[in-house]
Amino acid sequence: MTAIAYLGVIWMNGAVNPVARKRRAVACVIGLFLPLVFYKYTDFFFRELIGPFVGMQDNLLNLPLPLGLSFVTFTLTAYVIDIYKGKFPATSSASAVLAYVLFFPHLIAGPILRPYELLPQLERQRMATLRRFAVPLAIFSLGLVKKLVFADQVGFAVNDVYNQNGTLGALDALLVIYGFSVQIYCDFSGYTDMAIGLALAIGIRLPNNFRRPYAARSLSDLWGRWHITLSFWFRDYLFQPLGGYRYGRFKAVRNILITMLLSGLWHGANWTFLIWGLLHGIGISVNYLLRPALRRLPSGKMPDWIGVLLTFHFFAFAAVFFRSPTIAKALDIWAAPFIGGWGGIDSFANNNVFPLLLILVFFALHRFDDIRRIKIAVHYAQPEFIWIALAFCWLVAITISQGNTAAFIYFDF
């Protein structure tokens, strides 16, 4: 795939006129997406769209998804399109482009890097960074705690509920809804923090991928804080080329829905991911259509605390479709808080006291979850306190995990 992108750019720039150059750029992008479509969506299209007409319900290929394929595809597509648009010069060597793709901290699950964010750093000499190792280690440790302490431990409780048979109680459903919102954030942002810390340790700065998304005041605001590199990729390479907000409300809503549906499909070849994307498309569209009415309020906007509560709960309830293996399971969890029983509070609390405590601690500390705060703290605090705090974080993470860790959720994408 790197060869397709690198040689494709040379081929594209050798075109004799703009039309031929555009065609060659499109051919390069199609060539980059073919492996992703083949591995990720062949079984889904055959099973769901062709299978019912030919009487087959099994997968056609049943091949495992190569690790990091989606992120490599998006990274190389950004390389081709940015050079095509003149945003980045095609002067990098083949080895630099290969390093841009294979740079290990971001290879498997992002952040999705644009050429200008990494290639210039790879091509210049870097100073020894051992004396600045405290900041990278602190950021890495933050990610380690998020993953091993919060994501894994809360995730085990969420998985236990999903593995239950029969009708769910209201409390179990709420544990899944709130617990999974904590799990997926800590899992993915934890990975990102570790990637940023590792890269910084060798002198490479990666963009931050999360900015306290559960403090967002609207869905649009949330998608500017959640998986930022992916959100901006879809904005710059799909939503804006479709027309963005430029051609009236109807086409703006159409563009939002197409973008979010494809974002859902990117996350997985399953109807549940499509519904998850559609829900967010509808939510962002409603947010967009209501803006003129909100501007007529005395304050010119919805009160922040109402916006935060509505946005978080929309995200958490929609995430049920993201986590559930089937539509029926997702609907069962949605219905359980309203039709499920509320009995057994004592036994529920006793069985889930640790994950419930972690959920409460997470929401109490979420507002402080910012890499910039880590850098400031390390810069101004006494070194002996920093090393003791980092040692304590590692001790807690290792003790609680006890070697029992779960795979990163985004490794599946």
Side-chain angles (χ1 to χ4, degrees):
M1 292 177 67
T2 304
I4 292 174
Y6 183 73
L7 297 177
V9 163
I10 296 174
W11 178 54
M12 177 183 74
N13 286 338
V16 295
N17 57 63
V19 175
R21 189 168 183 270
K22 183 175 183 179
R23 287 175 179 166
R24 292 182 181 187
V26 171
C28 289
V29 172
I30 292 174
L32 290 173
F33 269 86
L34 282 178
L36 179 65
V37 172
F38 176 77
Y39 278 101
K40 196 165 185 176
Y41 301 110
T42 299
D43 285 336
F44 174 74
F45 288 131
F46 181 80
R47 186 182 64 245
E48 301 294 337
L49 303 180
I50 299 175
F53 298 101
V54 297
M56 296 183 67
Q57 297 180 338
D58 296 331
N59 291 332
L60 179 64
L61 301 175
N62 217 19
L63 295 173
L65 182 68
L67 197 61
L69 178 61
S70 295
F71 291 94
V72 170
T73 301
F74 279 30
T75 298
L76 288 173
T77 300
Y79 172 74
V80 172
I81 294 178
D82 281 7
I83 291 177
Y84 168 74
K85 291 185 173 181
K87 295 181 178 178
F88 189 78
T91 56
S92 301
S93 64
S95 59
V97 176
L98 188 62
Y100 163 63
V101 177
L102 298 180
F103 186 59
F104 71 96
H106 87 119
L107 175 62
I108 298 173
I112 299 170
L113 300 174
R114 310 293 177 88
Y116 71 85
E117 291 175 317
L118 185 56
L119 275 169
Q121 297 188 72
L122 293 173
E123 291 178 314
R124 72 168 177 250
Q125 295 291 325
R126 294 181 295 279
M127 297 174 59
T129 56
L130 281 177
R131 60 184 175 182
R132 295 184 296 171
F133 197 64
V135 170
L137 183 59
I139 296 172
F140 184 92
S141 302
L142 173 65
L144 188 75
V145 170
K146 283 184 185 175
K147 170 59 179 168
L148 296 185
V149 177
F150 288 91
D152 285 357
Q153 304 310 314
V154 174
F156 293 145
V158 171
N159 292 340
D160 287 343
V161 175
Y162 267 100
N163 292 331
Q164 290 180 19
N165 295 319
T167 304
L168 287 178
L171 294 171
D172 286 329
L174 292 177
L175 175 61
V176 163
I177 293 168
Y178 291 103
F180 184 66
S181 65
V182 173
Q183 180 195 1
I184 190 171
Y185 171 75
C186 290
D187 188 286
F188 195 22
S189 74
Y191 173 87
T192 302
D193 291 343
M194 286 189 271
I196 291 172
L198 278 174
L200 196 58
I202 54 176
I204 300 292
R205 293 182 181 275
L206 298 183
N208 196 3
N209 219 13
F210 294 88
R211 285 192 303 108
R212 294 172 291 136
Y214 295 155
R217 291 166 294 185
S218 69
L219 279 178
S220 300
D221 184 21
L222 185 144
W223 281 106
R225 297 164 175 255
W226 178 279
H227 203 169
I228 296 169
T229 55
L230 178 68
S231 299
F232 288 0
W233 193 98
F234 275 104
R235 181 197 65 186
D236 294 343
Y237 300 121
L238 181 62
F239 181 69
Q240 294 293 356
L242 285 171
Y245 294 110
R246 298 192 295 274
Y247 303 108
R249 292 185 178 184
F250 174 79
K251 290 188 177 179
V253 170
R254 179 202 64 181
N255 298 338
I256 291 169
L257 291 175
I258 291 173
T259 302
M260 295 312 298
L261 273 172
L262 289 178
S263 172
L265 190 62
W266 173 80
H267 281 87
N270 195 324
W271 292 112
T272 53
F273 288 111
L274 276 171
I275 293 174
W276 174 79
L278 177 63
L279 289 172
H280 276 277
I282 293 172
I284 295 171
S285 299
V286 170
N287 186 189
Y288 165 71
L289 294 172
L290 286 178
R291 281 179 192 169
L294 292 174
R295 291 195 188 103
R296 288 195 289 271
L297 293 174
S299 62
K301 62 177 184 176
M302 181 186 299
D304 288 348
W305 68 271
I306 295 179
V308 171
L309 282 177
L310 289 176
T311 301
F312 168 73
H313 282 87
F314 184 97
F315 182 89
F317 274 79
V320 172
F321 278 91
F322 191 99
R323 171 62 178 82
S324 297
T326 64
I327 296 173
K329 187 68 176 181
L331 293 176
D332 286 344
I333 293 173
W334 266 19
F338 306 101
I339 64 174
W342 286 83
I345 293 179
D346 292 342
S347 62
F348 172 82
N350 289 332
N351 293 333
N352 298 287
V353 61
F354 188 53
L356 291 174
L357 178 63
L358 289 175
I359 292 171
L360 291 175
V361 170
F362 168 80
F363 284 111
L365 298 179
H366 184 59
R367 60 180 298 188
F368 303 108
D369 183 10
D370 190 332
I371 286 178
R372 291 171 299 182
R373 292 177 183 270
I374 297 292
K375 292 178 179 177
I376 293 172
V378 172
H379 181 75
Y380 287 104
Q382 295 294 325
E384 54 269 28
F385 292 130
I386 294 297
W387 294 115
I388 290 173
L390 293 180
F392 178 74
C393 289
W394 280 71
L395 182 64
V396 170
I398 293 171
T399 302
I400 290 178
S401 68
Q402 296 180 337
N404 186 19
T405 62
F408 288 99
I409 294 174
Y410 264 70
F411 280 13
D412 293 335
F413 305 144

